[in-house]
Amino acid sequence: MEVALESNAFFMGVEYLAIFCSGLMGGLCAVKKNYDLFAMMITAWLTALGGGIIRDVMLASLPPVGIADKGFVITALVSGLAVAVIHPEVDKLKWSMLTIDALSVGLFAVNGTSKAMLMGTSGMTAAFMGMFTALGGGLVRDMLLNDVPMVIRDKHWYAVPSAIGCILTVLVMKGTRIGLIDFTGEVVLDSAIVVLVVVLRLLSVKFNIVLPGALERHEVFLP
Amino acid sequence: MEVALESNAFFMGVEYLAIFCSGLMGGLCAVKKNYDLFAMMITAWLTALGGGIIRDVMLASLPPVGIADKGFVITALVSGLAVAVIHPEVDKLKWSMLTIDALSVGLFAVNGTSKAMLMGTSGMTAAFMGMFTALGGGLVRDMLLNDVPMVIRDKHWYAVPSAIGCILTVLVMKGTRIGLIDFTGEVVLDSAIVVLVVVLRLLSVKFNIVLPGALERHEVFLP
Amino acid sequence: MEVALESNAFFMGVEYLAIFCSGLMGGLCAVKKNYDLFAMMITAWLTALGGGIIRDVMLASLPPVGIADKGFVITALVSGLAVAVIHPEVDKLKWSMLTIDALSVGLFAVNGTSKAMLMGTSGMTAAFMGMFTALGGGLVRDMLLNDVPMVIRDKHWYAVPSAIGCILTVLVMKGTRIGLIDFTGEVVLDSAIVVLVVVLRLLSVKFNIVLPGALERHEVFLP
């Protein structure tokens, strides 16, 4: 059995594109901090594939895809080399990169969740695994570069769309299992979830929609 | 076979309380840094359950309890939501929270060590696993929020009581194995260890007892 | 089957020396930040054995050697205690320590790669595992102490020699498998690789040879 959004050449192409672009975004962080080529390749690789590595460690599916899959690894490392040259363009194309980053978050969320469920985890565990896949790479990158992770720092919706995407994917997988949804339906619905994640993310940045913080309170009620 | 301090409703209640309270303490860190609701939930969850996740990864007991156990996960996430509202109270109750935090460190140390030994590890490995369970959550939280972990920063005894607790738990488990200690004895001794950890921690904070640092030396002896 | 460079007492002695010395270097970081004895022991242990722990988690060889092997663990913890006393000497012996640190990087790279291949991974995966073993400890230590990891920060060759060492080790192992290289040859070649890593590292520091960073460009080419 395979994950719906890896079932044909088009979706695999989208996945490679997502890996390459998150690698570019990751490598860009190293460029901005004036690190060397090797650091760019490491941050590109971790950003693109670190989330999947965390997921595979948690699911005991070892060695992780992000280490053992030649195609994925080479794509990620090459993106780290590429950004050393094309960093001004990557930096300039803010909205395009934001869109592609959101696409990769959405795609990794759906695929990560699906893979976990195919391995027989519960829905809640699978949703966590989807979140790890989608957000783990950026998180590890920022911990490595000694920044507070973007998923914590960024006031705009970043984790929330991916959480919604993971939960919807769990529902789609459950529908597929009981025969309510056929394979074509799964592909269509999974694609729709990815689009939803992208749209939610972009709307949040465009219209500055943010999650509330803690309730502001100045009195303390204690016995 | 089960862990002594999870063997009845009372101890399970204490464990849920410990998870909830370490979640509160974790979420409070995110509140103080003005992060949003989602960040509070993530830090609460990692603080409360991250240590157990590290232990389970090291013991290949996957997926980790901190991801797969609905009761634990929901308790931790709810504590992250709760702290958004009750943060002034949590902040104010310093000594109560310190006590409950020490309680959770002690409880996680004893239970983490016991779980590892039940899975057949050596005593030394089990003690490490107890330490991971007790201290790992706060460690991951602080790495995430870009602080030096409290276990490194805090001059007061924090790691030391939990190390003592883990080593004593190993001795109790070994006593149980050779029939020297029966189940009731194990429960009593394990509870005593938790109390000891709490007392050591509180004494250290109250009377400002600290571990020595490096020896101060100004000459260098070299051939 | 065993790893070539752990096959006799001499090589085991070198490995213990490498662990002890990376522990000293790790503990020194904690001394310089005025942390307490326990923090020194933790950072010494993580620096010396953290890389192997990451490798073992990725290879599902659990519990990791860095937790379960009494000799290794005690050596690392003792180095953390030792540095509390001999830190002025460790700090002063810059070139000696740099050499021994490079030795441990080289040795861990070769042994980490060999262990992975003996467990049946592909060459690429094994090279990654060698890199984790060689560089992971320092990386985790720096993340813990809230620094940007030395492998990212240090402009001199640090990751590159270890990458070269890992790739050469893969070639040696492949040669051994097809009968091209006998056991003696493997020992000799593996030792030569360790020496090569040390020499590359020292040459880079001595003559200030660095990897290039990103291409400096001030125009942006976009359609």
Side-chain angles (χ1 to χ4, degrees):
Chain A
M1 221 171 10
E2 68 184 335
V3 173
L5 295 192
E6 287 183 348
S7 60
N8 67 39
F10 174 73
F11 290 123
M12 284 309 293
V14 174
E15 185 149 24
Y16 276 104
L17 181 72
I19 289 172
F20 190 78
C21 291
S22 24
L24 287 181
M25 301 280 281
L28 189 62
C29 299
V31 171
K32 289 195 171 165
K33 301 201 164 195
N34 289 317
Y35 293 130
D36 65 19
L37 261 185
F38 205 92
M40 286 172 216
M41 289 170 71
I42 292 181
T43 47
W45 167 67
L46 269 181
T47 311
L49 301 175
I53 292 175
I54 297 178
R55 176 201 61 210
D56 289 348
V57 166
M58 297 284 172
L59 289 174
S61 157
L62 298 166
V65 165
I67 288 171
D69 187 299
K70 284 207 172 52
F72 287 174
V73 170
I74 290 169
T75 306
L77 294 179
V78 166
S79 75
L81 288 176
V83 83
V85 178
I86 62 168
H87 56 97
E89 283 78 18
V90 175
D91 204 19
K92 193 89 180 184
L93 286 171
K94 189 178 169 264
W95 275 96
S96 317
M97 290 311 294
L98 204 74
T99 311
I100 298 181
D101 185 58
L103 172 73
S104 67
V105 167
L107 190 71
F108 292 171
V110 170
N111 282 353
T113 309
S114 304
K115 277 180 196 174
M117 289 205 77
L118 287 181
M119 293 180 67
T121 68
S122 73
M124 189 177 75
T125 304
F128 266 107
M129 294 304 160
M131 299 280 292
F132 284 139
T133 316
L135 306 174
L139 207 143
V140 173
R141 176 201 61 206
D142 290 342
M143 285 169 78
L144 193 72
L145 295 181
N146 211 14
D147 291 323
V148 176
M150 211 176 94
V151 59
I152 302 276
R153 236 182 321 134
D154 193 340
K155 289 279 178 196
H156 300 118
W157 290 3
Y158 192 72
V160 172
S162 82
I164 295 173
C166 292
I167 293 168
L168 290 176
T169 307
V170 170
L171 297 180
V172 169
M173 290 293 286
K174 294 207 164 168
T176 314
R177 270 191 200 163
I178 58 169
L180 210 72
I181 301 170
D182 63 0
F183 189 75
T184 320
E186 196 189 338
V187 170
V188 171
L189 286 171
D190 278 359
S191 309
I193 294 170
V194 175
V195 172
L196 178 71
V197 172
V198 175
V199 169
L200 284 177
R201 168 76 177 146
L202 293 184
L203 284 179
S204 157
V205 176
K206 180 83 185 169
F207 299 105
N208 202 24
I209 310 170
V210 299
L211 267 194
L215 206 67
E216 257 192 71
R217 288 176 45 199
H218 300 290
E219 290 157 278
V220 181
F221 296 102
L222 281 176
Chain B
M1 218 169 15
E2 68 183 336
V3 173
L5 293 192
E6 287 183 347
S7 60
N8 67 40
F10 174 73
F11 289 124
M12 284 308 294
V14 174
E15 185 150 23
Y16 276 103
L17 181 71
I19 290 173
F20 190 78
C21 291
S22 27
L24 287 181
M25 301 281 279
L28 189 62
C29 299
V31 171
K32 288 195 169 164
K33 302 201 164 194
N34 289 316
Y35 293 130
D36 65 19
L37 261 184
F38 205 92
M40 286 172 216
M41 290 169 72
I42 292 181
T43 48
W45 167 68
L46 270 182
T47 311
L49 302 175
I53 292 176
I54 296 178
R55 177 201 60 211
D56 289 347
V57 166
M58 297 286 174
L59 289 174
S61 158
L62 298 167
V65 165
I67 288 171
D69 187 299
K70 285 207 170 53
F72 287 174
V73 170
I74 290 170
T75 306
L77 294 178
V78 167
S79 75
L81 288 176
V83 84
V85 178
I86 62 169
H87 56 96
E89 282 77 18
V90 176
D91 204 19
K92 193 88 181 187
L93 286 170
K94 189 178 168 264
W95 274 96
S96 316
M97 289 312 293
L98 204 74
T99 311
I100 298 181
D101 185 58
L103 172 73
S104 67
V105 167
L107 190 71
F108 293 172
V110 170
N111 282 353
T113 308
S114 304
K115 277 180 195 173
M117 289 205 76
L118 287 181
M119 293 180 67
T121 68
S122 73
M124 189 178 75
T125 304
F128 266 107
M129 295 301 161
M131 298 280 291
F132 285 139
T133 316
L135 307 174
L139 207 144
V140 173
R141 175 201 59 207
D142 290 342
M143 285 169 79
L144 193 73
L145 295 181
N146 211 15
D147 290 323
V148 176
M150 211 177 95
V151 59
I152 302 276
R153 236 182 321 134
D154 193 339
K155 291 277 180 198
H156 299 119
W157 290 3
Y158 192 71
V160 172
S162 81
I164 294 173
C166 292
I167 292 167
L168 291 176
T169 308
V170 169
L171 297 179
V172 170
M173 290 293 287
K174 294 208 164 165
T176 314
R177 271 192 199 161
I178 57 170
L180 210 72
I181 302 169
D182 63 1
F183 189 76
T184 320
E186 196 190 337
V187 170
V188 171
L189 286 170
D190 278 0
S191 309
I193 294 170
V194 174
V195 172
L196 177 70
V197 173
V198 175
V199 168
L200 285 177
R201 168 76 176 146
L202 293 183
L203 283 179
S204 158
V205 176
K206 179 83 184 169
F207 299 105
N208 201 25
I209 311 168
V210 298
L211 268 193
L215 206 68
E216 257 192 72
R217 289 175 46 201
H218 301 289
E219 290 157 279
V220 181
F221 295 101
L222 281 176
Chain C
M1 220 169 13
E2 69 184 335
V3 173
L5 295 191
E6 287 183 347
S7 60
N8 67 39
F10 174 72
F11 290 123
M12 283 310 293
V14 174
E15 185 149 24
Y16 276 103
L17 181 72
I19 289 172
F20 190 77
C21 290
S22 24
L24 287 182
M25 300 281 279
L28 189 61
C29 299
V31 171
K32 288 195 170 165
K33 301 202 165 193
N34 289 316
Y35 294 130
D36 65 18
L37 261 185
F38 206 93
M40 286 171 216
M41 290 169 72
I42 293 180
T43 47
W45 168 66
L46 270 181
T47 310
L49 301 175
I53 292 176
I54 297 178
R55 176 201 62 212
D56 289 347
V57 165
M58 297 285 174
L59 289 175
S61 156
L62 299 166
V65 165
I67 288 172
D69 187 299
K70 284 205 171 53
F72 287 173
V73 170
I74 290 170
T75 306
L77 294 178
V78 167
S79 74
L81 288 176
V83 83
V85 178
I86 62 169
H87 56 97
E89 283 77 18
V90 176
D91 204 18
K92 194 90 180 184
L93 286 170
K94 189 177 169 263
W95 274 95
S96 317
M97 289 313 293
L98 204 74
T99 310
I100 298 181
D101 185 58
L103 172 73
S104 67
V105 166
L107 190 71
F108 293 172
V110 171
N111 282 353
T113 308
S114 304
K115 277 180 196 174
M117 289 205 77
L118 287 181
M119 293 180 66
T121 67
S122 73
M124 189 177 75
T125 303
F128 266 106
M129 294 303 160
M131 299 280 290
F132 285 139
T133 316
L135 306 174
L139 207 143
V140 173
R141 175 201 61 206
D142 291 342
M143 285 169 79
L144 193 72
L145 295 181
N146 211 13
D147 290 324
V148 176
M150 211 177 95
V151 58
I152 302 277
R153 234 181 324 134
D154 193 338
K155 291 277 180 199
H156 299 118
W157 290 1
Y158 192 71
V160 172
S162 81
I164 294 172
C166 292
I167 293 167
L168 291 177
T169 308
V170 169
L171 297 179
V172 170
M173 289 295 285
K174 293 208 166 168
T176 314
R177 270 192 200 161
I178 56 170
L180 209 70
I181 301 170
D182 63 359
F183 189 75
T184 320
E186 196 190 338
V187 170
V188 171
L189 287 170
D190 278 359
S191 309
I193 294 170
V194 174
V195 172
L196 177 70
V197 172
V198 175
V199 169
L200 285 176
R201 168 77 176 146
L202 292 183
L203 284 179
S204 158
V205 176
K206 181 82 184 168
F207 299 105
N208 202 25
I209 311 169
V210 299
L211 268 193
L215 206 67
E216 256 193 72
R217 288 174 47 201
H218 300 289
E219 290 157 280
V220 181
F221 295 102
L222 279 177

